[in-house]
């Protein structure tokens, strides 16, 4: 009779994940037992406390380099750097989620099951307290992202993908206003996300079949087995290439890379703006963290095969994001296509097979996350009687009516355009320089040219805000509450500091840029 041996588990290394998932479960109990009038305060405090404690554990684990939980979780430099990034950006997003003074009742619907455009819907839009179930959903999503960037086998990665995707599908449907648009966005995201997950899972099956051809070694989907199979397996390479392609589809969908980007503009526009900011910052970190681990660890031996394909995807993504951003008339859709273009720039860093490419990509993810959350914080403040005024024509003359917030948004847009002394310039340099060193000049040329195109829609908004006369349709900028103010200050200061003095974060990323195998 064979003795069953349980895998060894380092609970301290897993503590950030366990804390976030535990806080999500406690949040569910809060919904059941805490009086409604107290729930928002309790849930926000619980979520922020969990993020703070999890971040503390990440810092305490800074020297860990190990694989635990039966080879399922890898705790190394990139894992800890990306987990810390997700937690810091998630804390900013939670501040926006918890804001209740910019709009009475907050950005979220009071009752999720209310019929759109009904009398009840109109009543809840007038200021009833927003649903607080959003906090456990956000916390579950954060926990899934922490697992996603640490996953050391493909099945664990798939489970983590679902853990953070399912809450996001629900969160996208919970906007207080424009309920039909919000529900449409959630449905599109759910349907396309289900297809992407199916592609990913089918890719896992093909890779498992490919690893069965390793002489004297059992099949598996942990990254060490996959890495060995790339060079040793006697199975048909068709299984490897098809499996890599299907896995890439699932990951590139989450990263909003073309041609798997079609959900992004509709979802960014329809979702509650705090959720849009959370997705733009944290989901991108999680998606590229997984891409880095899969292609730098599991498939490193096949880089000659996948680099041209992913390079073509990067160029297409940059082109689609830059060109279609020019045609947008809604600020949230403009930021969505900006996010798509930035996914292309990040792919340039992913394809630089060096420590500098890895560290540059991680730096870019953090810098972009701070900037995009600050941008969406400003979007939540520009309002009229119907809620957020997101049509670009409504922003004309905003610099005359509210010069302070127009100046902040101008600074953020200049950072997106890659102007020197902003984080956008240093982050682009951080991914383009390693690509040049790796003889990927064609990707850098595409990146520079599309950056020039992408600067046009940013500068158009700047010109519209400052050089147009305010009219009757120009909305007001609501005085931000303490939570939105905190998120905005953090985002703007980080964008400035990472542009003027990026060395500390670059050094931290460079020191963390080594996977455990």
């Amino acid at each position: 009779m064979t003795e069953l041996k349980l895998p060894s588990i380092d609970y301290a290394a897993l503590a950030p994940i366990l804390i976030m998932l535990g806080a999500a479960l406690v949040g569910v109990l809060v919904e059941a037992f805490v009086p409604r009038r107290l729930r928002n305060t309790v849930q926000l405090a619980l979520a922020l406390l969990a993020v703070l404690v999890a971040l503390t554990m990440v810092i305490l684990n800074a020297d860990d380099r190990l694989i635990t939980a039966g080879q399922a979780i890898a705790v190394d430099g990139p894992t800890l750097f990306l987990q810390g990034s997700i937690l810091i950006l998630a804390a900013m997003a939670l501040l926006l989620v918890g804001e209740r003074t910019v709009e009475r009742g907050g950005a979220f619907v009071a009752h999720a099951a209310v019929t759109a455009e009904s009398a009840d819907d109109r009543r809840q839009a007038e200021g009833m307290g927003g649903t607080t179930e959003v906090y456990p959903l956000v916390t579950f999503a954060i926990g899934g992202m922490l697992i996603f960037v640490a996953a050391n086998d493909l099945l664990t990665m798939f489970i983590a993908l679902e853990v953070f995707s399912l809450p996001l599908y629900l969160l996208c449907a919970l906007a207080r206003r424009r309920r039909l648009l919000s529900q449409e966005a959630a449905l599109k995201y759910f349907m396309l996300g289900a297809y992407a997950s199916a592609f990913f899972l089918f890719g896992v099956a093909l890779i498992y079949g490919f690893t069965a051809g390793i002489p004297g070694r059992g099949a598996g989907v942990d990254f060490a087995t996959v890495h060995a199979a790339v060079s040793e397996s006697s199975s048909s390479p068709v299984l490897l290439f098809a499996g890599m392609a299907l896995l890439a589809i699932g990951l590139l969908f989450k990263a909003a890379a073309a041609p798997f980007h079609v959900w992004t503009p509709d979802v960014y526009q329809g979702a509650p703006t705090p959720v849009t900011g959370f997705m733009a910052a944290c989901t991108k970190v999680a998606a590229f963290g997984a891409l880095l681990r899969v292609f730098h660890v599991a498939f490193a031996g096949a880089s000659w095969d996948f680099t041209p394909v992913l390079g073509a995807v990067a160029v297409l993504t940059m082109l689609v994001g830059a060109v279609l951003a020019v045609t947008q008339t809604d600020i949230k859709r403009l930021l969505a296509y900006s996010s798509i273009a930035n996914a292309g720039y990040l792919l340039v860093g992913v394809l630089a097979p060096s420590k500098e490419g890895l560290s540059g990509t991680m730096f870019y993810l953090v810098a972009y996350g701070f900037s995009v959350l600050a941008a969406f914080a400003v979007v939540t403040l520009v309002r009229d009687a119907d809620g957020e005024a997101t049509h670009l024509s409504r922003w004309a003359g905003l610099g005359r009516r509210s010069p302070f917030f127009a100046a902040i948004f101008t600074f953020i847009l200049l950072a997106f355009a890659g102007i020197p002394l902003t984080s956008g310039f240093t982050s682009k340099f951080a991914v383009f320089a390693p690509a040049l060193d790796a003889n990927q000049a064609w990707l850098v040329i595409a990146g520079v040219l599309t950056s020039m195109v992408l600067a046009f829609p940013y500068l158009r908004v700047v010109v519209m805000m400052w050089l147009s006369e305010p009219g009757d349709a120009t909305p007001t900028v609501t005085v931000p509450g303490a939570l939105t103010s905190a998120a905005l200050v953090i985002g703007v200061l980080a964008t400035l500091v990472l542009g003027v003095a990026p060395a500390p974060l670059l050094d931290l990323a460079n020191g963390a840029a080594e996977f455990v195998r």
Side-chain angles (χ1 to χ4, degrees):
M1 186 173 171
T2 304
E3 182 182 355
L4 179 63
K5 291 185 179 180
L6 296 176
S8 62
I9 298 177
D10 188 324
Y11 287 100
L14 298 180
I17 298 168
L18 298 177
I19 290 166
M20 295 312 303
L21 295 180
L25 295 175
V26 174
V28 174
L29 296 178
V30 169
E31 287 298 310
F33 296 108
V34 174
R36 182 177 292 275
R37 70 180 186 280
L38 301 176
R39 283 182 201 165
N40 186 70
T41 303
V42 174
Q43 291 280 33
L44 177 60
L46 173 65
L48 287 174
L49 179 63
V51 168
L52 181 61
V53 176
L55 181 60
T56 302
M57 290 305 304
V58 169
I59 295 170
L60 293 176
N61 293 336
D63 296 327
D64 285 358
R65 300 293 184 271
L66 55 94
I67 297 176
T68 186
Q71 307 298 304
I73 299 292
V75 180
D76 52 19
T79 294
L80 295 167
F81 185 93
L82 294 170
Q83 285 184 339
S85 303
I86 289 168
L87 290 167
I88 292 171
L89 296 173
M92 285 182 63
L94 280 168
L95 294 176
L96 298 180
V97 169
E99 182 61 75
R100 292 293 184 268
T101 59
V102 171
E103 178 174 6
R104 188 180 174 190
F108 296 91
V109 65
H111 303 288
V114 67
T115 303
E117 309 298 335
S118 65
D120 288 339
D121 185 28
R122 288 189 289 274
R123 278 195 295 273
Q124 68 83 26
E126 291 171 0
M128 295 173 64
T131 180
T132 51
E133 288 92 339
V134 295
Y135 294 104
L137 289 173
V138 171
T139 315
F140 270 123
I142 296 168
M145 292 174 187
L146 298 185
I147 303 172
F148 201 54
V149 298
N152 193 55
D153 72 54
L154 295 174
L155 275 180
T156 303
M157 189 170 281
F158 173 74
I159 293 168
L161 177 67
E162 296 307 297
V163 169
F164 82 80
S165 294
L166 293 174
L168 289 176
Y169 300 149
L170 295 173
L171 287 166
C172 288
L174 298 180
R176 175 179 292 275
R177 300 176 185 268
R178 301 181 178 91
R179 298 284 297 133
L180 286 176
L181 187 65
S182 179
Q183 291 170 359
E184 177 190 354
L187 185 60
K188 286 180 178 177
Y189 192 24
F190 170 67
M191 294 300 294
L192 292 174
Y195 281 115
S197 296
F199 279 119
F200 187 94
L201 195 57
F202 194 17
V204 173
L206 294 180
I207 295 299
Y208 181 80
F210 179 73
T211 61
I214 307 176
R217 186 169 180 171
V221 290
D222 61 281
F223 290 168
T225 301
V226 175
H227 180 77
V230 170
S231 56
E232 300 174 18
S233 178
S234 59
S235 300
S236 169
V238 174
L239 285 174
L240 172 63
F241 299 143
M244 276 199 300
L246 294 174
L247 290 174
I249 288 173
L251 295 173
L252 292 172
F253 173 86
K254 282 299 174 190
F260 316 108
H261 68 285
V262 292
W263 60 276
T264 311
D266 291 336
V267 173
Y268 275 39
Q269 182 183 21
T273 302
V275 174
T276 306
F278 176 61
M279 293 169 58
C282 297
T283 303
K284 198 168 289 292
V285 175
F288 276 95
L291 268 169
L292 287 167
R293 190 169 295 277
V294 166
F295 287 103
H296 280 244
V297 177
F299 298 121
S303 60
W304 183 258
D305 300 299
F306 68 71
T307 296
V309 178
L310 283 184
V313 169
V315 172
L316 178 63
T317 302
M318 290 185 279
L319 280 172
V320 168
V323 172
L324 293 185
V326 175
T327 67
Q328 299 309 305
T329 58
D330 184 277
I331 191 67
K332 290 176 77 174
R333 293 182 73 88
L334 170 59
L335 291 175
Y337 280 105
S338 168
S339 175
I340 293 167
N342 278 280
Y345 304 139
L346 282 160
L347 280 172
V348 175
V350 172
L351 293 174
S354 63
K355 187 176 182 179
E356 289 73 22
L358 175 57
S359 63
T361 304
M362 295 194 297
F363 176 86
Y364 196 124
L365 287 166
V366 177
Y368 176 75
F370 280 120
S371 299
V372 79
L373 277 168
F376 282 111
V378 175
V379 171
T380 65
L381 301 177
V382 182
R383 316 182 69 85
D384 56 21
D386 296 324
E388 294 167 358
T390 58
H391 198 280
L392 285 181
S393 63
R394 306 293 304 281
W395 289 57
L398 198 66
R400 310 284 182 89
R401 184 158 291 182
S402 184
F404 178 71
F405 290 103
I408 287 176
F409 199 66
T410 298
F411 175 69
I412 296 167
L413 290 177
L414 292 178
F416 286 150
I419 301 300
L421 301 183
T422 66
S423 62
F425 175 79
T426 52
S427 54
K428 284 186 173 64
F429 185 83
V431 294
F432 288 167
L436 275 177
D437 293 339
N439 298 318
Q440 303 286 352
W442 63 292
L443 292 176
V444 177
I445 292 171
V448 171
L449 293 177
T450 54
S451 294
M452 294 168 62
V453 175
L454 192 58
F456 172 76
Y458 298 144
L459 296 177
R460 182 182 62 179
V461 176
V462 173
V463 169
M464 190 180 296
M465 287 193 299
W466 291 103
L467 299 184
S468 298
E469 291 291 336
D472 295 335
T474 303
T476 58
V477 177
T478 305
V479 176
L483 299 179
T484 299
S485 298
L488 196 53
V489 168
I490 294 169
V492 171
L493 285 180
T495 302
L496 177 62
V497 170
L498 294 179
V500 176
L505 185 60
L506 280 170
D507 291 341
L508 183 63
N510 197 54
E514 188 172 352
F515 289 107
V516 65
R517 300 176 188 272

